[in-house]
């Protein structure tokens, strides 16, 4: 547990579990079968007073950002909580996710990517830290019917009151701090956390960089941070998705807790408008005792796996939603989730004082482009069996749909030339999987799943 006498002392109060409403279930309720995984999902409201922050001095690319406390305002937001139904399964670690609001609604993106590892014993808490997830009345590319909680179910969420994104960082800190000392209503149901890990993906990844650089040094709530799928910049302390100055922006090197950056091919150049100071390549930095960055070859900002979880979740919640299912066969179906699982477990051990994770090479780039092998797959970066023993081109670059990359299956002639028999394919795939486990990029449990899939497929038959 990260115990610090200067850490935020939260004065928030929890209420719940929240039930009822016109829809009868929580917004952002997962489409995954939690009961089959031995997990439960509950919702709580959180009320208190949050501070806003403003930039204190000049912010530079090195991430040594100072923030000054500004105004304060009352708030009531909500959290989603997923915990083991059997308390004895709890491993002591709570993953606290900054819910993504890029679509003007709360999205639990990182729970989707990491759910296999999370449901092996962690607790997960999703925080409605930003206003859009509560107050939005629509307008995103997901569909006209995709709205915030107040519009979606005013009967259930009428008590929510968000004062604006300038208060989001302190709301997130206070929720984290209160999970350790919850008071009369305990969202964790009596589970005693020994470790809090914060995470955020994409829009929330930008926020997590700013949180690490400007807020954690004064809040000191979390034992480790995951910054997932950000570009080369951070987020503002108030409204807006991206902070364009300074660009690029790196993780500060004097943090006292470990920070793990997970980056896909998409963020290298394309996420923030193309090559230049806002691209992640411009923000690359060496690993340190407290920083690890894994650039995952063959992955994209969003992918088929996450869409297959999110689409039924959207369909259940909203009547007017874009047909994301049509994208499943063509967008990237790379191994991001398995590497994310390994990163989460590695961070848990690292933050508890264990060995630091493996340092990974960067994805090879030149002339503002990803370098690729004869099959069109990226070279360098975190290697997985899907890249080293390929049956398709897996790219994170814009091909069909922005930010979703592509999967282009090899034709029969190419597959026959690469793998003259099924045994040859399975042997090569198993060897590559073992290398990835030895390197720390895959977990043994996930490796067994991948090898079983390879054994059951038709490649080489």
């Amino acid at each position: 547990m990260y115990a610090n006498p200067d850490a935020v002392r939260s004065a928030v109060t929890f209420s719940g579990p929240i039930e009822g409403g016109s829809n009868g279930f929580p917004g952002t309720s997962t489409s995954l079968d939690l009961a089959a995984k031995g997990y439960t999902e509950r919702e709580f409201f959180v009320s208190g007073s949050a501070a806003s922050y403003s930039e204190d001095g000049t912010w530079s690319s090195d991430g040594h950002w100072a923030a000054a406390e500004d105004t304060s305002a009352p708030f009531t937001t909500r959290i989603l909580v997923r915990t083991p139904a059997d308390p004895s399964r709890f491993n002591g670690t709570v993953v606290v996710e900054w819910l993504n609001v890029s679509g003007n609604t709360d999205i639990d993106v990182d729970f989707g990517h990491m759910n296999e590892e999370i449901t092996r014993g962690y607790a997960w808490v999703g925080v409605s830290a930003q206003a859009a997830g509560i107050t939005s009345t629509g307008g995103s590319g997901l569909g006209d019917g995709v709205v915030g909680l107040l519009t979606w179910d005013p009967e259930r969420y009428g008590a929510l009151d968000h004062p604006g994104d300038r208060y989001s960082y302190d709301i997130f800190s206070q929720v984290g701090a209160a999970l350790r000392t919850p008071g009369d209503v305990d969202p964790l149901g009596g589970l005693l956390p020994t470790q809090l890990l914060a995470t955020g993906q994409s829009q929330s990844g930008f926020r997590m960089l700013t949180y690490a650089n400007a807020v954690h040094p004064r809040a000191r709530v979390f034992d480790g941070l995951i910054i997932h799928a950000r570009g080369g910049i951070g987020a503002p302390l108030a409204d807006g998705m991206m902070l364009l100055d300074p660009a690029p922006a790196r993780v500060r090197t004097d943090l006292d807790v470990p920070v793990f950056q997970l980056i896909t091919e998409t963020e290298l150049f394309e996420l923030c408008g193309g090559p230049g100071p806002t691209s992640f390549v411009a923000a690359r930095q060496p690993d340190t005792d407290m920083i690890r960055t894994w650039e995952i070859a063959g992955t994209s900002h969003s992918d088929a796996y996450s869409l297959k979880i999110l689409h039924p979740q959207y369909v259940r919640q909203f009547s007017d939603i874009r047909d994301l299912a049509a994208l499943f066969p063509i967008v990237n179906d790379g191994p991001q989730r398995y590497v994310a699982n390994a990163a989460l477990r590695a961070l848990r051990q690292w933050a508890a004082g264990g060995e630091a994770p493996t340092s990974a090479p960067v994805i090879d780039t030149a002339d503002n482009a990803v370098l690729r092998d004869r099959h069109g797959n990226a070279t360098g970066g975190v290697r997985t069996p899907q890249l080293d023993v390929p049956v398709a081109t897996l790219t994170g670059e814009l091909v069909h749909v922005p930010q979703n990359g592509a999967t282009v299956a090899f034709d029969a002639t190419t597959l026959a030339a690469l793998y003259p028999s099924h045994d040859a394919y399975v042997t090569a795939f198993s060897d590559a999987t073992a290398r990835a486990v030895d390197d720390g990029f895959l977990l043994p449990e996930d490796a067994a799943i991948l090898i079983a899939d390879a054994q059951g497929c038709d490649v080489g038959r």
Side-chain angles (χ1 to χ4, degrees):
M1 178 173 133
Y2 181 67
N4 189 287
D6 300 321
V8 161
R9 295 289 188 267
S10 181
V12 305
T13 57
F14 294 111
S15 58
I18 306 302
E19 297 177 345
S22 57
N23 292 296
F25 63 92
T28 326
S29 182
T30 185
S31 65
L32 295 168
D33 187 350
L34 290 180
K37 296 174 178 288
Y39 269 66
T40 63
E41 177 182 80
R42 299 188 300 167
E43 184 177 48
F44 297 83
F45 288 172
V46 190
S47 298
S49 178
S52 64
Y53 297 113
S54 58
E55 296 180 21
D56 186 4
T58 301
W59 284 13
S60 58
S61 288
D62 65 7
H64 290 255
W65 301 348
E69 190 170 314
D70 203 344
T71 59
S72 63
F75 72 90
T76 299
T77 190
R78 68 83 187 242
I79 59 173
L80 272 180
V81 181
R82 297 165 187 159
T83 55
D86 178 359
S88 68
R89 289 187 58 204
F90 180 51
N91 64 15
T93 298
V94 182
V95 177
V96 184
E97 179 171 353
W98 187 306
L99 294 176
N100 181 295
V101 295
S102 296
N104 282 339
T105 190
D106 284 338
I107 309 173
D108 53 342
V109 186
D110 264 343
F111 180 82
H113 283 297
M114 303 173 185
N115 75 87
E116 293 151 309
E117 173 64 6
I118 289 173
T119 55
R120 290 167 179 150
Y122 302 71
W124 175 90
V125 175
V127 182
S128 292
Q130 289 181 257
I134 296 170
T135 62
S136 168
T137 56
S140 81
L142 291 173
D144 292 338
V146 178
V147 294
L149 296 172
L150 283 172
T151 299
W152 179 67
D153 195 334
E155 180 182 339
R156 185 181 182 108
Y157 295 111
L160 298 187
D161 181 17
H162 199 295
D165 283 359
R166 66 180 58 253
Y167 301 93
S168 61
Y169 295 95
D170 194 39
I171 289 173
F172 190 73
S173 293
Q174 291 206 48
V175 169
L179 291 172
R180 297 193 194 273
T181 54
D184 293 337
V185 176
D186 183 0
L188 296 178
L191 300 180
L192 299 177
T194 58
Q195 187 184 70
L196 299 180
L197 303 179
T199 188
Q201 191 268 358
S202 186
Q203 183 267 342
S204 300
F206 290 95
R207 292 252 155 188
M208 287 306 300
L209 177 70
T210 299
Y211 189 92
N213 285 346
V215 181
H216 170 78
R218 60 183 301 143
R220 308 179 78 130
V221 170
F222 296 99
D223 301 290
L225 309 171
I226 296 177
I227 302 171
H228 188 183
R230 74 167 180 106
I233 48 181
L237 286 172
D239 298 331
M241 182 181 295
M242 301 179 187
L243 182 68
L244 297 177
D245 182 22
R250 302 179 180 90
V251 179
R252 65 188 300 158
T253 56
D254 62 346
L255 290 171
D256 52 1
V257 299
V259 176
F260 216 133
Q261 295 193 106
L262 293 177
I263 303 298
T264 75
E265 290 182 21
T266 311
E267 291 90 59
L268 296 181
F269 296 109
E270 294 188 319
L271 183 63
C272 296
T278 61
S279 68
F280 186 79
V281 166
R284 281 172 168 168
Q285 63 188 111
D287 284 351
T288 71
D289 290 344
M290 288 295 177
I291 300 171
R292 284 292 183 274
T293 302
W294 284 0
E295 296 181 8
I296 314 169
T299 61
S300 64
H301 189 73
S302 181
D303 58 26
Y305 180 76
S306 61
L307 289 178
K308 288 172 184 176
I309 295 172
L310 290 173
H311 183 60
Q313 180 173 309
Y314 289 142
V315 169
R316 182 187 182 210
Q317 188 169 346
F318 303 114
S319 59
D320 183 6
I321 176 70
R322 181 183 174 196
D323 184 16
L324 299 176
L327 302 178
F328 295 169
I330 62 173
V331 301
N332 181 281
D333 197 19
Q336 180 174 184
R337 66 188 184 273
Y338 295 118
V339 178
N341 287 342
L344 175 57
R345 187 177 298 182
L347 179 61
R348 176 174 182 259
Q349 296 167 349
W350 188 17
E355 185 177 352
T358 302
S359 286
V362 300
I363 293 173
D364 296 328
T365 60
D367 299 324
N368 295 324
V370 174
L371 295 183
R372 302 190 175 279
D373 61 21
R374 62 192 176 99
H375 302 300
N377 287 316
T379 59
V382 171
R383 307 305 298 174
T384 60
Q386 290 92 331
L387 270 292
D388 289 342
V389 189
V391 297
T393 300
L394 296 169
T395 175
E397 295 178 343
L398 192 159
V399 178
H400 303 292
V401 185
Q403 301 183 9
N404 289 271
T407 298
V408 182
F410 295 165
D411 59 32
T413 301
T414 301
L415 286 175
L418 288 171
Y419 313 113
S421 70
H422 182 63
D423 286 345
Y425 170 70
V426 172
T427 297
F429 191 92
S430 299
D431 290 345
T433 301
R435 289 195 299 272
V437 171
D438 289 343
D439 289 339
F441 302 140
L442 284 181
L443 298 176
E445 302 96 314
D446 293 335
I449 295 170
L450 288 172
I451 291 173
D453 288 344
Q455 291 170 337
C457 78
D458 291 329
V459 176
R461 293 191 190 277

